[in-house]
Amino acid sequence: MRQCFSIFFYSSFYCFIDILILEFVMLLVVGFILNCSSEKIEADQLVIVVLSQANVYHQRQAKELRDDVYRQCGKDEPRPSILFLHEEWHGVGGWTIFPTFEKISIDFEAKAKWVIYVDEFARLDLKKLVETLSLYDSSQEHFVGHALQDNSPTVIHHYHGFTEGQKKILYPLFAAGFAMSSTLVASSSVRLRQAPIQQNFHIDAQHELAKWLWNDGKGVTLTSTEQFCSKEPNEENHHCAIWPVWSKRYNCQAPLDPDNVLFAVKSTKKFHNDRLSIIKRTWADDAKHVIYFSETADESVPTRVLDVNNTETGHCVKMMSLLEAVHDDSTAYPWVAVVDDDTLLSVPRLLRLLSCYDPNEPVAIGERYGFSVLQHGYTYLTGGAGMVLSNTLLKIIVDGGRCSCYAENSPDDMHLGVCFHRIGMSVVHSPLFHQARPVDYAGDYLAHQRSISFHKFYDVDPLQVYQDWLRVGGPMGHDEL
């Protein structure tokens, strides 16, 4: 009996020792894995590219961001390198991100571990950014940000991910910033040299960059992390390394008086009854000066007649005739907003946005698209989203004689883009203007902004879209920001 007890005691004791040893070994393994998956990063191993624009107001925002980052560094502490997109890549295609890879790979090859792209209206916590990126191995290809994903087929992404054999991809919200390891930037630079992008149209840089990096499953997929935030931090959301400050986009000073803006609506006879009636029932009530331009006289609207033929597509001659007519009336208006007859607007938000800009400068504001911008093409403002021109710019366009149409049905918005490029002017991109309908955008893309425009009335109730998204105080308006 005593022998059996001794055997039981010693076997239990050694079993207990074995368990302790096993747990100790497991702790060592876990610690080794954690140490291998983390990396010590210093601030001077970061390259921050501010997605800045050439306009004076935007340059000021970029400088404020840079100063805020440097204030977070001690006097003798390492500091990141900060580059402004409009200075380093002043060609028309820098905003697509692709042209940045080669310069960064060459200039920072020996030093940089991470390249962070951040919106000029954003802010970042340098310590938290370093901590976040330290969780990844920069010697590997990493693409990190706040992920968006399309929930339904959308024309702005050419319905990618919703046809047979295609996979929906994650793509970064630029407003929240995103990061690429130096290894990924270097390999991307090599890939671009070996196979330059031949794409004609650039519509959504966020999606197009992610799609190219994904490379039909052979490349890298975006890693989504909560430290790249889509809204400003608060008591419940204090983990952010980068976040957008949406109010900086449209909250400079008191909104403009409605007398300062002339709205020019481009229409045609067959849409007088249905489309123009929707405009009158929605945003036109908030606009003091609206002119409805058409090739047909209609007292019920009433229309201002343009002595041109209406074309099914393009409308270049019609647009230029409209601008000439507006120019004759525009001396009293610092700003002219040109919109299609199926464009919905928030006039109060537009008036607040325009308070940030100087109409005495040549300024054109809207949603930016690009044509062959990686092959010396040009950037233009897409017409459906609406575009706002300063009176100063309008005079240059009309009086300069350098903006004649190549053909009657040339695309009017693209033609104006060529004209702007010819006179050496950069357009101002605002993500608050939208060429498509709300359903065509990922939910988190629109979730925290005060949208200014949407386009197209098909397969939606435009009155409801206006009430939900554009009416001040509407459920999706975010006018409390």
Side-chain angles (χ1 to χ4, degrees), residues 248-296:
K248 282 185 168 291
R249 294 185 182 275
Y250 35 62
N251 204 18
C252 296
Q253 49 190 312
L256 294 189
D257 188 290
D259 268 328
N260 287 304
V261 185
L262 172 63
F263 291 86
V265 181
K266 179 161 56 73
S267 189
T268 189
K269 181 180 179 180
K270 66 179 180 179
F271 296 130
H272 287 182
N273 291 332
D274 52 357
R275 291 186 179 180
L276 297 187
S277 66
I278 290 171
I279 288 178
K280 289 184 174 185
R281 294 169 63 187
T282 54
W283 63 262
D285 282 342
D286 292 322
K288 194 167 183 180
H289 306 285
V290 184
I291 301 177
Y292 301 95
F293 288 94
S294 175
E295 79 289 348
T296 304

CSV table of all heavy atoms in Angstrom, one decimal, residues 248-296:
chain,number,residue,atom,x,y,z
A,248,LYS,N,-12.3,70.9,-41.3
A,248,LYS,CA,-11.3,71.8,-41.9
A,248,LYS,C,-11.6,72.0,-43.4
A,248,LYS,O,-11.1,72.9,-44.0
A,248,LYS,CB,-9.9,71.3,-41.7
A,248,LYS,CG,-9.3,71.6,-40.3
A,248,LYS,CD,-7.9,71.1,-40.2
A,248,LYS,CE,-7.3,71.7,-39.0
A,248,LYS,NZ,-7.1,73.1,-39.0
A,249,ARG,N,-12.4,71.1,-44.0
A,249,ARG,CA,-12.6,71.2,-45.4
A,249,ARG,C,-13.6,72.3,-45.8
A,249,ARG,O,-13.7,72.7,-46.9
A,249,ARG,CB,-13.2,69.8,-45.9
A,249,ARG,CG,-12.2,68.7,-45.9
A,249,ARG,CD,-12.7,67.5,-46.6
A,249,ARG,NE,-11.8,66.4,-46.5
A,249,ARG,CZ,-10.8,66.1,-47.3
A,249,ARG,NH1,-10.6,67.0,-48.3
A,249,ARG,NH2,-10.0,65.1,-47.2
A,250,TYR,N,-14.5,72.7,-44.8
A,250,TYR,CA,-15.6,73.5,-45.2
A,250,TYR,C,-16.0,74.5,-44.0
A,250,TYR,O,-17.1,74.9,-44.0
A,250,TYR,CB,-16.8,72.7,-45.6
A,250,TYR,CG,-17.0,71.4,-44.8
A,250,TYR,CD1,-17.2,71.4,-43.4
A,250,TYR,CD2,-16.9,70.2,-45.5
A,250,TYR,CE1,-17.3,70.2,-42.7
A,250,TYR,CE2,-17.0,69.0,-44.8
A,250,TYR,CZ,-17.2,69.0,-43.4
A,250,TYR,OH,-17.3,67.9,-42.7
A,251,ASN,N,-15.1,74.7,-43.1
A,251,ASN,CA,-15.5,75.5,-41.9
A,251,ASN,C,-14.5,76.6,-41.7
A,251,ASN,O,-14.0,76.7,-40.6
A,251,ASN,CB,-15.6,74.6,-40.7
A,251,ASN,CG,-16.6,75.2,-39.7
A,251,ASN,OD1,-17.3,76.1,-40.0
A,251,ASN,ND2,-16.5,74.7,-38.5
A,252,CYS,N,-14.2,77.4,-42.7
A,252,CYS,CA,-13.1,78.4,-42.5
A,252,CYS,C,-13.6,79.7,-41.8
A,252,CYS,O,-13.0,80.2,-40.9
A,252,CYS,CB,-12.6,78.8,-43.9
A,252,CYS,SG,-11.8,77.4,-44.7
A,253,GLN,N,-14.8,80.2,-42.2
A,253,GLN,CA,-15.4,81.4,-41.7
A,253,GLN,C,-16.9,81.3,-41.9
A,253,GLN,O,-17.4,80.3,-42.3
A,253,GLN,CB,-14.7,82.6,-42.2
A,253,GLN,CG,-14.6,82.6,-43.8
A,253,GLN,CD,-13.8,83.8,-44.3
A,253,GLN,OE1,-14.0,84.9,-43.8
A,253,GLN,NE2,-12.8,83.5,-45.2
A,254,ALA,N,-17.6,82.4,-41.8
A,254,ALA,CA,-19.0,82.4,-42.0
A,254,ALA,C,-19.3,82.1,-43.4
A,254,ALA,O,-18.5,82.4,-44.4
A,254,ALA,CB,-19.6,83.8,-41.7
A,255,PRO,N,-20.4,81.3,-43.7
A,255,PRO,CA,-20.7,81.0,-45.1
A,255,PRO,C,-20.9,82.2,-45.9
A,255,PRO,O,-21.3,83.3,-45.4
A,255,PRO,CB,-22.1,80.2,-44.9
A,255,PRO,CG,-22.1,79.8,-43.5
A,255,PRO,CD,-21.4,80.8,-42.7
A,256,LEU,N,-20.7,82.0,-47.2
A,256,LEU,CA,-20.9,83.1,-48.1
A,256,LEU,C,-22.4,83.5,-48.2
A,256,LEU,O,-23.3,82.7,-48.0
A,256,LEU,CB,-20.5,82.7,-49.6
A,256,LEU,CG,-19.0,82.5,-49.8
A,256,LEU,CD1,-18.8,82.3,-51.3
A,256,LEU,CD2,-18.1,83.6,-49.3
A,257,ASP,N,-22.7,84.7,-48.5
A,257,ASP,CA,-24.0,85.2,-48.7
A,257,ASP,C,-24.5,84.6,-50.1
A,257,ASP,O,-23.7,84.5,-51.0
A,257,ASP,CB,-24.1,86.7,-48.8
A,257,ASP,CG,-25.5,87.2,-48.9
A,257,ASP,OD1,-26.1,87.0,-50.0
A,257,ASP,OD2,-25.9,87.9,-47.9
A,258,PRO,N,-25.7,84.0,-50.2
A,258,PRO,CA,-26.2,83.4,-51.4
A,258,PRO,C,-26.0,84.4,-52.6
A,258,PRO,O,-26.0,83.9,-53.8
A,258,PRO,CB,-27.6,83.1,-51.1
A,258,PRO,CG,-27.7,82.9,-49.6
A,258,PRO,CD,-26.7,83.9,-49.1
A,259,ASP,N,-26.0,85.7,-52.4
A,259,ASP,CA,-25.8,86.6,-53.5
A,259,ASP,C,-24.5,86.4,-54.2
A,259,ASP,O,-24.3,86.9,-55.4
A,259,ASP,CB,-25.9,88.1,-53.0
A,259,ASP,CG,-27.3,88.6,-53.1
A,259,ASP,OD1,-28.1,88.2,-54.0
A,259,ASP,OD2,-27.7,89.4,-52.2
A,260,ASN,N,-23.5,85.7,-53.6
A,260,ASN,CA,-22.2,85.6,-54.2
A,260,ASN,C,-22.1,84.5,-55.2
A,260,ASN,O,-21.0,84.4,-55.8
A,260,ASN,CB,-21.2,85.4,-53.0
A,260,ASN,CG,-20.9,86.6,-52.2
A,260,ASN,OD1,-20.6,87.6,-52.7
A,260,ASN,ND2,-21.2,86.5,-50.9
A,261,VAL,N,-23.1,83.7,-55.4
A,261,VAL,CA,-23.0,82.5,-56.3
A,261,VAL,C,-24.1,82.5,-57.3
A,261,VAL,O,-25.3,82.6,-56.9
A,261,VAL,CB,-23.0,81.2,-55.5
A,261,VAL,CG1,-22.7,80.0,-56.4
A,261,VAL,CG2,-21.9,81.2,-54.4
A,262,LEU,N,-23.8,82.4,-58.5
A,262,LEU,CA,-24.7,82.2,-59.6
A,262,LEU,C,-24.7,80.7,-60.0
A,262,LEU,O,-23.6,80.1,-60.3
A,262,LEU,CB,-24.4,83.0,-60.8
A,262,LEU,CG,-25.2,82.8,-62.1
A,262,LEU,CD1,-26.6,83.2,-61.9
A,262,LEU,CD2,-24.6,83.6,-63.3
A,263,PHE,N,-25.9,80.1,-60.0
A,263,PHE,CA,-26.0,78.7,-60.4
A,263,PHE,C,-26.5,78.6,-61.8
A,263,PHE,O,-27.6,79.1,-62.1
A,263,PHE,CB,-27.0,77.9,-59.4
A,263,PHE,CG,-26.4,77.8,-58.0
A,263,PHE,CD1,-26.6,78.8,-57.1
A,263,PHE,CD2,-25.7,76.7,-57.6
A,263,PHE,CE1,-26.1,78.7,-55.8
A,263,PHE,CE2,-25.2,76.5,-56.4
A,263,PHE,CZ,-25.4,77.6,-55.4
A,264,ALA,N,-25.7,77.9,-62.6
A,264,ALA,CA,-26.1,77.7,-64.0
A,264,ALA,C,-26.4,76.2,-64.3
A,264,ALA,O,-25.5,75.4,-64.1
A,264,ALA,CB,-24.9,78.2,-64.9
A,265,VAL,N,-27.6,75.9,-64.6
A,265,VAL,CA,-28.1,74.5,-64.8
A,265,VAL,C,-28.1,74.3,-66.3
A,265,VAL,O,-28.8,75.0,-67.1
A,265,VAL,CB,-29.4,74.3,-64.2
A,265,VAL,CG1,-29.9,72.8,-64.4
A,265,VAL,CG2,-29.4,74.7,-62.7
A,266,LYS,N,-27.4,73.2,-66.8
A,266,LYS,CA,-27.4,72.9,-68.2
A,266,LYS,C,-28.4,71.8,-68.5
A,266,LYS,O,-28.4,70.7,-67.9
A,266,LYS,CB,-26.0,72.4,-68.5
A,266,LYS,CG,-25.8,71.9,-70.0
A,266,LYS,CD,-24.3,71.9,-70.3
A,266,LYS,CE,-23.5,71.0,-69.4
A,266,LYS,NZ,-23.8,69.6,-69.6
A,267,SER,N,-29.4,72.1,-69.3
A,267,SER,CA,-30.5,71.2,-69.6
A,267,SER,C,-30.9,71.2,-71.1
A,267,SER,O,-30.2,71.8,-71.9
A,267,SER,CB,-31.8,71.6,-68.8
A,267,SER,OG,-32.8,70.6,-68.8
A,268,THR,N,-31.9,70.3,-71.4
A,268,THR,CA,-32.4,70.2,-72.7
A,268,THR,C,-33.9,70.0,-72.7
A,268,THR,O,-34.4,69.6,-71.6
A,268,THR,CB,-31.7,69.1,-73.5
A,268,THR,OG1,-32.1,69.2,-74.9
A,268,THR,CG2,-32.0,67.7,-72.9
A,269,LYS,N,-34.6,70.2,-73.8
A,269,LYS,CA,-36.1,70.2,-73.8
A,269,LYS,C,-36.7,69.0,-73.1
A,269,LYS,O,-37.7,69.1,-72.4
A,269,LYS,CB,-36.6,70.4,-75.2
A,269,LYS,CG,-38.1,70.5,-75.3
A,269,LYS,CD,-38.5,70.6,-76.8
A,269,LYS,CE,-40.0,70.7,-76.9
A,269,LYS,NZ,-40.5,70.8,-78.3
A,270,LYS,N,-36.2,67.8,-73.5
A,270,LYS,CA,-36.9,66.6,-73.0
A,270,LYS,C,-36.8,66.4,-71.5
A,270,LYS,O,-37.5,65.6,-70.9
A,270,LYS,CB,-36.3,65.4,-73.7
A,270,LYS,CG,-34.9,65.1,-73.4
A,270,LYS,CD,-34.4,63.8,-74.1
A,270,LYS,CE,-33.0,63.4,-73.9
A,270,LYS,NZ,-32.6,62.2,-74.6
A,271,PHE,N,-36.0,67.2,-70.8
A,271,PHE,CA,-35.8,67.1,-69.4
A,271,PHE,C,-36.4,68.3,-68.6
A,271,PHE,O,-36.3,68.3,-67.4
A,271,PHE,CB,-34.4,66.9,-69.0
A,271,PHE,CG,-33.8,65.6,-69.5
A,271,PHE,CD1,-32.6,65.6,-70.1
A,271,PHE,CD2,-34.4,64.4,-69.3
A,271,PHE,CE1,-32.0,64.4,-70.6
A,271,PHE,CE2,-33.9,63.2,-69.8
A,271,PHE,CZ,-32.7,63.2,-70.4
A,272,HIS,N,-37.1,69.2,-69.3
A,272,HIS,CA,-37.6,70.4,-68.6
A,272,HIS,C,-38.6,70.0,-67.5
A,272,HIS,O,-38.6,70.6,-66.4
A,272,HIS,CB,-38.2,71.3,-69.6
A,272,HIS,CG,-37.2,72.0,-70.5
A,272,HIS,ND1,-37.6,73.0,-71.4
A,272,HIS,CD2,-35.9,72.0,-70.6
A,272,HIS,CE1,-36.5,73.4,-72.0
A,272,HIS,NE2,-35.5,72.8,-71.5
A,273,ASN,N,-39.5,69.1,-67.8
A,273,ASN,CA,-40.6,68.8,-66.9
A,273,ASN,C,-40.1,68.0,-65.7
A,273,ASN,O,-40.5,68.3,-64.6
A,273,ASN,CB,-41.7,68.1,-67.6
A,273,ASN,CG,-42.4,69.0,-68.6
A,273,ASN,OD1,-42.5,70.2,-68.4
A,273,ASN,ND2,-43.0,68.4,-69.7
A,274,ASP,N,-39.4,66.9,-66.0
A,274,ASP,CA,-39.1,66.0,-64.9
A,274,ASP,C,-37.9,66.4,-64.1
A,274,ASP,O,-37.9,66.6,-62.9
A,274,ASP,CB,-39.0,64.5,-65.4
A,274,ASP,CG,-38.0,64.4,-66.5
A,274,ASP,OD1,-37.5,65.4,-67.0
A,274,ASP,OD2,-37.8,63.2,-67.0
A,275,ARG,N,-36.8,66.6,-64.7
A,275,ARG,CA,-35.5,66.9,-64.0
A,275,ARG,C,-35.5,68.3,-63.4
A,275,ARG,O,-35.2,68.4,-62.2
A,275,ARG,CB,-34.3,66.7,-64.9
A,275,ARG,CG,-34.0,65.3,-65.3
A,275,ARG,CD,-32.7,65.2,-66.1
A,275,ARG,NE,-32.4,63.9,-66.5
A,275,ARG,CZ,-31.3,63.5,-67.2
A,275,ARG,NH1,-30.5,64.5,-67.5
A,275,ARG,NH2,-31.1,62.2,-67.5
A,276,LEU,N,-35.9,69.3,-64.1
A,276,LEU,CA,-35.9,70.6,-63.6
A,276,LEU,C,-36.9,70.8,-62.4
A,276,LEU,O,-36.7,71.6,-61.5
A,276,LEU,CB,-36.1,71.7,-64.7
A,276,LEU,CG,-35.0,71.7,-65.8
A,276,LEU,CD1,-35.3,72.9,-66.7
A,276,LEU,CD2,-33.6,71.8,-65.1
A,277,SER,N,-38.0,70.1,-62.5
A,277,SER,CA,-39.0,70.2,-61.4
A,277,SER,C,-38.4,69.6,-60.1
A,277,SER,O,-38.7,70.1,-59.0
A,277,SER,CB,-40.3,69.4,-61.8
A,277,SER,OG,-40.0,68.0,-61.9
A,278,ILE,N,-37.6,68.6,-60.2
A,278,ILE,CA,-36.9,68.0,-59.0
A,278,ILE,C,-35.9,69.0,-58.4
A,278,ILE,O,-35.9,69.2,-57.2
A,278,ILE,CB,-36.2,66.7,-59.4
A,278,ILE,CG1,-37.3,65.6,-59.7
A,278,ILE,CG2,-35.3,66.3,-58.3
A,278,ILE,CD1,-36.7,64.3,-60.2
A,279,ILE,N,-35.2,69.7,-59.3
A,279,ILE,CA,-34.2,70.7,-58.8
A,279,ILE,C,-35.0,71.8,-58.1
A,279,ILE,O,-34.6,72.3,-57.0
A,279,ILE,CB,-33.4,71.3,-60.0
A,279,ILE,CG1,-32.4,70.3,-60.5
A,279,ILE,CG2,-32.7,72.6,-59.6
A,279,ILE,CD1,-31.6,70.7,-61.6
A,280,LYS,N,-36.1,72.2,-58.7
A,280,LYS,CA,-36.9,73.3,-58.0
A,280,LYS,C,-37.5,72.9,-56.7
A,280,LYS,O,-37.7,73.7,-55.8
A,280,LYS,CB,-38.0,73.8,-59.0
A,280,LYS,CG,-37.5,74.5,-60.2
A,280,LYS,CD,-38.6,75.0,-61.0
A,280,LYS,CE,-38.1,75.9,-62.2
A,280,LYS,NZ,-39.2,76.5,-63.0
A,281,ARG,N,-37.8,71.6,-56.5
A,281,ARG,CA,-38.3,71.1,-55.3
A,281,ARG,C,-37.3,70.8,-54.2
A,281,ARG,O,-37.6,70.4,-53.1
A,281,ARG,CB,-39.2,69.8,-55.6
A,281,ARG,CG,-40.4,70.1,-56.4
A,281,ARG,CD,-41.0,68.8,-56.9
A,281,ARG,NE,-41.5,68.0,-55.8
A,281,ARG,CZ,-42.0,66.7,-56.0
A,281,ARG,NH1,-42.0,66.2,-57.2
A,281,ARG,NH2,-42.4,66.1,-55.0
A,282,THR,N,-36.0,70.9,-54.6
A,282,THR,CA,-34.9,70.5,-53.7
A,282,THR,C,-34.0,71.7,-53.5
A,282,THR,O,-34.4,72.6,-52.8
A,282,THR,CB,-34.2,69.3,-54.2
A,282,THR,OG1,-33.7,69.5,-55.5
A,282,THR,CG2,-35.1,68.0,-54.2
A,283,TRP,N,-32.9,71.7,-54.1
A,283,TRP,CA,-31.8,72.6,-53.7
A,283,TRP,C,-32.0,74.1,-54.2
A,283,TRP,O,-31.5,75.0,-53.7
A,283,TRP,CB,-30.5,72.1,-54.2
A,283,TRP,CG,-30.2,71.9,-55.7
A,283,TRP,CD1,-30.4,70.8,-56.4
A,283,TRP,CD2,-29.8,73.0,-56.6
A,283,TRP,NE1,-30.0,71.0,-57.7
A,283,TRP,CE2,-29.7,72.3,-57.9
A,283,TRP,CE3,-29.5,74.3,-56.5
A,283,TRP,CZ2,-29.3,73.0,-59.0
A,283,TRP,CZ3,-29.2,75.0,-57.6
A,283,TRP,CH2,-29.1,74.4,-58.9
A,284,ALA,N,-32.8,74.2,-55.3
A,284,ALA,CA,-33.0,75.6,-55.9
A,284,ALA,C,-33.6,76.6,-54.8
A,284,ALA,O,-33.4,77.8,-54.9
A,284,ALA,CB,-33.9,75.5,-57.1
A,285,ASP,N,-34.4,76.1,-53.9
A,285,ASP,CA,-35.0,76.9,-52.9
A,285,ASP,C,-33.9,77.6,-52.0
A,285,ASP,O,-34.1,78.7,-51.5
A,285,ASP,CB,-35.9,76.1,-51.9
A,285,ASP,CG,-37.2,75.8,-52.6
A,285,ASP,OD1,-37.6,76.5,-53.5
A,285,ASP,OD2,-37.9,74.9,-52.1
A,286,ASP,N,-32.7,77.0,-51.9
A,286,ASP,CA,-31.6,77.6,-51.1
A,286,ASP,C,-30.7,78.5,-51.9
A,286,ASP,O,-29.8,79.2,-51.3
A,286,ASP,CB,-30.8,76.5,-50.4
A,286,ASP,CG,-31.6,75.8,-49.4
A,286,ASP,OD1,-32.4,76.4,-48.7
A,286,ASP,OD2,-31.4,74.5,-49.3
A,287,ALA,N,-30.9,78.5,-53.2
A,287,ALA,CA,-30.1,79.3,-54.1
A,287,ALA,C,-30.8,80.6,-54.5
A,287,ALA,O,-32.0,80.6,-54.9
A,287,ALA,CB,-29.7,78.5,-55.3
A,288,LYS,N,-30.1,81.7,-54.4
A,288,LYS,CA,-30.8,83.0,-54.7
A,288,LYS,C,-30.8,83.3,-56.2
A,288,LYS,O,-31.7,83.9,-56.7
A,288,LYS,CB,-30.1,84.1,-54.0
A,288,LYS,CG,-30.9,85.4,-53.9
A,288,LYS,CD,-30.4,86.4,-52.9
A,288,LYS,CE,-31.2,87.6,-52.9
A,288,LYS,NZ,-30.7,88.6,-51.9
A,289,HIS,N,-29.8,82.8,-56.9
A,289,HIS,CA,-29.6,83.1,-58.4
A,289,HIS,C,-29.4,81.8,-59.1
A,289,HIS,O,-28.3,81.2,-59.1
A,289,HIS,CB,-28.5,84.1,-58.6
A,289,HIS,CG,-28.5,85.3,-57.8
A,289,HIS,ND1,-29.4,86.4,-58.1
A,289,HIS,CD2,-27.8,85.7,-56.7
A,289,HIS,CE1,-29.2,87.3,-57.2
A,289,HIS,NE2,-28.3,86.9,-56.3
A,290,VAL,N,-30.4,81.4,-59.9
A,290,VAL,CA,-30.4,80.2,-60.7
A,290,VAL,C,-30.8,80.5,-62.1
A,290,VAL,O,-31.9,81.1,-62.3
A,290,VAL,CB,-31.3,79.1,-60.1
A,290,VAL,CG1,-31.1,77.8,-60.9
A,290,VAL,CG2,-31.0,78.8,-58.6
A,291,ILE,N,-30.1,80.1,-63.1
A,291,ILE,CA,-30.4,80.2,-64.5
A,291,ILE,C,-30.5,78.9,-65.1
A,291,ILE,O,-29.5,78.1,-65.0
A,291,ILE,CB,-29.5,81.1,-65.3
A,291,ILE,CG1,-29.4,82.5,-64.6
A,291,ILE,CG2,-29.9,81.2,-66.7
A,291,ILE,CD1,-28.4,83.5,-65.3
A,292,TYR,N,-31.6,78.5,-65.8
A,292,TYR,CA,-31.7,77.2,-66.4
A,292,TYR,C,-31.4,77.4,-67.9
A,292,TYR,O,-32.2,78.1,-68.6
A,292,TYR,CB,-33.1,76.7,-66.2
A,292,TYR,CG,-33.5,76.5,-64.8
A,292,TYR,CD1,-34.2,77.5,-64.0
A,292,TYR,CD2,-33.1,75.3,-64.1
A,292,TYR,CE1,-34.5,77.3,-62.7
A,292,TYR,CE2,-33.4,75.1,-62.8
A,292,TYR,CZ,-34.1,76.1,-62.1
A,292,TYR,OH,-34.4,75.9,-60.7
A,293,PHE,N,-30.3,76.9,-68.4
A,293,PHE,CA,-29.9,77.1,-69.8
A,293,PHE,C,-30.4,75.9,-70.6
A,293,PHE,O,-30.3,74.7,-70.2
A,293,PHE,CB,-28.4,77.2,-69.9
A,293,PHE,CG,-27.9,78.5,-69.4
A,293,PHE,CD1,-27.4,78.6,-68.1
A,293,PHE,CD2,-27.8,79.6,-70.2
A,293,PHE,CE1,-26.9,79.8,-67.6
A,293,PHE,CE2,-27.3,80.8,-69.7
A,293,PHE,CZ,-26.9,80.9,-68.4
A,294,SER,N,-30.9,76.2,-71.8
A,294,SER,CA,-31.4,75.2,-72.7
A,294,SER,C,-31.3,75.7,-74.1
A,294,SER,O,-31.2,76.9,-74.3
A,294,SER,CB,-32.9,74.8,-72.4
A,294,SER,OG,-33.4,73.8,-73.3
A,295,GLU,N,-31.4,74.8,-75.1
A,295,GLU,CA,-31.5,75.2,-76.5
A,295,GLU,C,-32.9,75.6,-76.9
A,295,GLU,O,-33.1,76.1,-78.0
A,295,GLU,CB,-30.9,74.1,-77.4
A,295,GLU,CG,-31.8,73.0,-77.7
A,295,GLU,CD,-32.1,72.0,-76.5
A,295,GLU,OE1,-31.3,72.2,-75.5
A,295,GLU,OE2,-33.0,71.2,-76.6
A,296,THR,N,-33.8,75.4,-76.0
A,296,THR,CA,-35.3,75.6,-76.3
A,296,THR,C,-35.9,76.6,-75.3
A,296,THR,O,-35.7,76.4,-74.1
A,296,THR,CB,-36.0,74.2,-76.2
A,296,THR,OG1,-35.4,73.3,-77.1
A,296,THR,CG2,-37.5,74.4,-76.6
